[in-house]
């Protein structure tokens, strides 16, 4: 059974329905015990970063969520649930996230219309399990105004499209495909999207998977992605 964490953010019913459609039972829950007992955990969501952290804390879900992120079970973060994995966010003032992946959540820069809403291509190198059987330029559905900057990366908002380069870290390396995430030293793999800047649209680190886009709203390839996650859960990976 997959536990879909309900902390008052996001269309949880659509996530549960999508998993049911691919033949993998899921339950929407606010019960920390159900999260602890689940084979896998999904953290969806939309809305404000700091409100989400406060809600998780107020509902007593943070300890169970952190246990779900210890690498022993498959975990999927979606949209805001992806951003919460990072160290900090500047949305409505700097604040702390779950700090599973070093990095910061920043507002999309001026240029294209904000929020980034609609279909966009996601590029990957074929090394992420979630993208098994999904072509490297498949389109997924996005709705967001903020994006994660992975620590150590160089993000350019004109590599392909034309603004100025923005350096995120002084000693940054643009190749993050084998970057290791402290303290567990697990390789971090990234799929990319271009929207004014090139940003990390999805990540995989150990058994932790996360997407900025909404697989449950992304039709064919989104369902294939959820099938891939369900296969990981069933296979014990």
């Amino acid at each position: 059974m997959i536990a879909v964490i309900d902390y008052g953010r996001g269309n949880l019913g659509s996530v549960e329905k999508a998993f049911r459609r691919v033949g993998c039972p899921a339950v929407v829950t606010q019960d920390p015990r159900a999260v602890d007992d689940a084979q896998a955990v999904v953290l969806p969501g939309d809305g404000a970063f700091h409100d989400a952290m406060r809600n998780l804390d107020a509902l007593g879900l943070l300890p169970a969520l952190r246990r779900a992120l210890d690498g022993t079970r498959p975990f999927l973060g979606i949209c805001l649930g992806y951003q919460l994995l990072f160290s900090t966010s500047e949305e409505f003032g700097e604040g702390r996230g779950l700090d599973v992946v070093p990095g910061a959540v920043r507002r999309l820069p001026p240029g294209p219309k904000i929020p980034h809403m609609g279909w966009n291509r996601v590029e990957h190198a074929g090394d992420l399990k979630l993208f098994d059987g999904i072509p490297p330029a498949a389109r997924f559905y996005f709705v967001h105004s903020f994006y994660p900057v992975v620590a150590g990366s160089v993000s350019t908002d004109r590599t392909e499209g034309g603004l100025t380069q923005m350096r995120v870290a002084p000693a940054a390396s643009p190749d993050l495909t084998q970057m290791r995430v402290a303290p567990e030293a697990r390789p971090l793999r990234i799929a990319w999207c271009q929207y004014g800047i090139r940003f990390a649209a999805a990540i995989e680190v150990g058994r932790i998977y996360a997407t900025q886009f909404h697989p449950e709203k992304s039709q064919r390839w989104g369902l294939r992605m959820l099938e891939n996650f369900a296969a990981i859960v069933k296979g014990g990976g």
Side-chain angles (χ1 to χ4, degrees):
M1 179 70 73
I2 295 175
V4 180
I5 296 180
D6 175 9
Y7 58 102
R9 290 291 181 272
N11 189 352
L12 305 174
S14 65
V15 176
E16 187 272 337
K17 182 178 179 181
F19 275 112
R20 189 167 65 244
R21 185 173 174 183
V22 301
C24 192
V27 58
V28 176
T29 183
Q30 292 186 342
D31 185 352
R33 293 169 297 181
V35 176
D36 282 334
D37 291 341
Q39 289 176 274
V41 175
V42 177
L43 183 68
D46 50 41
F49 186 101
H50 305 322
D51 284 348
M53 288 297 294
R54 281 192 292 269
N55 286 5
L56 286 165
D57 186 31
L59 291 166
L61 286 164
L62 279 178
L65 177 55
R66 293 190 184 281
R67 288 190 291 271
L69 287 162
D70 65 5
T72 60
R73 292 175 288 165
F75 178 95
L76 176 62
I78 297 174
C79 197
L80 180 59
Y82 168 40
Q83 295 181 2
L84 293 174
L85 299 179
F86 288 82
S87 308
T88 64
S89 172
E90 68 178 12
E91 186 176 3
F92 301 117
E94 200 77 18
R96 299 294 297 180
L98 295 167
D99 202 18
V100 175
V101 181
V105 176
R106 303 298 185 207
R107 184 171 178 81
L108 287 166
K113 184 179 178 180
I114 298 174
H116 175 202
M117 180 182 295
W119 296 86
N120 206 342
R121 292 183 178 87
V122 175
E123 300 289 343
H124 65 93
D127 57 346
L128 289 87
K129 293 180 181 178
L130 278 189
F131 287 83
D132 182 43
I134 297 175
R139 297 170 71 88
F140 294 88
Y141 189 80
F142 290 82
V143 183
H144 65 116
S145 300
F146 291 77
Y147 72 103
V149 179
V150 182
S153 72
V154 172
S155 175
T156 62
D157 49 10
R158 221 183 194 163
T159 1
E160 268 117 50
L163 302 171
T164 56
Q165 187 180 70
M166 175 181 67
R167 181 166 290 278
V168 175
S173 167
D175 181 9
L176 295 177
T177 55
Q178 294 300 321
M179 176 180 167
R180 296 179 116 30
V181 177
E184 297 87 353
R186 295 169 293 180
L188 174 65
R189 297 182 174 88
I190 300 178
W192 300 94
C193 182
Q194 183 79 26
Y195 191 75
I197 58 166
R198 186 172 181 255
F199 67 90
I203 61 166
E204 172 184 319
V205 52
R207 291 179 172 142
I208 298 172
Y209 310 87
T211 68
Q212 181 60 72
F213 52 84
H214 288 269
E216 78 282 6
K217 298 179 181 178
S218 296
Q219 300 179 7
R220 176 187 179 186
W221 297 123
L223 286 177
R224 175 57 189 260
M225 181 166 286
L226 295 181
E227 286 176 348
N228 290 340
F229 185 73
I232 291 166
V233 175
K234 293 174 182 177

